[in-house]
Amino acid sequence: MKTYVPKAADVTRAWWIVDASGLTLGRLATVVADRLRGKHKPQFVPYMDTGDHVIVVNAAKVRMTGAKHQDKMYRHHTGYPGGLKEVPAGKLLASKPERVLESAIKGMLPRGSLGRQMGRKLKVYAGDKHPHVAQQPKPLPIPGAVRA
């Protein structure tokens, strides 16, 4: 038996589109992260980027359960002393909904240069318009999706 090792030239990348309106944030993020990594393909290997491109539209209409709108905090540091900034999830979802979804999805990707390479194939838009019509993306099925 020989171990199959995929080559970069053997990887074919498809384009997928997801409508996030009414979907739960974490459940959507897991499905998208799996597509970005390529775990749905038979030639998946953990040390190589075999994933597809994913477009997420209507990020502003994503759903959070419980009291996450007030309790969940997004933090970043300005680089200055005492520059830790905290923004509640509800406020960030109202002002920059793309960042909420990108943060959830990229947190499920590997750390390091491989994860950054996979993260560049993610396109998130707050509304329903996107500039990737020429790629003819296919709709990504979300298993067990319950839209509110």
Side-chain angles (χ1 to χ4, degrees):
M1 297 288 296
K2 297 280 186 178
T3 302
Y4 173 72
V5 179
K7 294 171 184 57
D10 297 342
V11 178
T12 57
R13 302 196 192 282
W15 282 77
W16 299 95
I17 187 165
V18 181
D19 184 8
S21 58
L23 295 177
T24 308
L25 176 65
R27 294 178 185 275
L28 171 65
T30 55
V31 173
V32 172
D34 281 351
R35 288 289 163 157
L36 288 172
R37 282 198 76 187
K39 292 188 100 173
H40 62 289
K41 295 182 177 182
Q43 65 263 25
F44 169 74
V45 286
Y47 55 83
M48 195 172 160
D49 183 13
T50 58
D52 296 338
H53 297 267
V54 179
I55 305 163
V56 181
V57 293
N58 290 324
K61 298 177 183 175
V62 76
R63 196 168 62 103
M64 287 187 198
T65 58
K68 291 187 189 85
H69 280 280
Q70 326 53 286
D71 296 345
K72 185 174 176 61
M73 293 290 177
Y74 287 88
R75 296 173 181 88
H76 72 279
H77 201 281
T78 62
Y80 289 98
L84 181 66
K85 303 291 181 184
E86 288 186 340
V87 181
K91 189 174 179 184
L92 191 63
L93 190 62
S95 62
K96 297 174 185 163
E98 303 93 354
R99 192 167 297 173
V100 172
L101 211 52
E102 286 171 1
S103 173
I105 294 168
K106 287 183 180 179
M108 296 179 185
L109 295 177
R111 277 37 167 187
S113 59
L114 182 63
R116 288 189 294 274
Q117 182 181 353
M118 292 172 182
R120 283 192 287 270
K121 295 185 316 232
L122 173 66
K123 316 290 184 209
V124 182
Y125 299 99
D128 58 350
K129 303 283 188 233
H130 64 88
H132 308 286
V133 180
Q135 281 73 28
Q136 299 174 343
K138 297 176 278 203
L140 179 62
I142 307 294
V146 178
R147 295 187 189 267

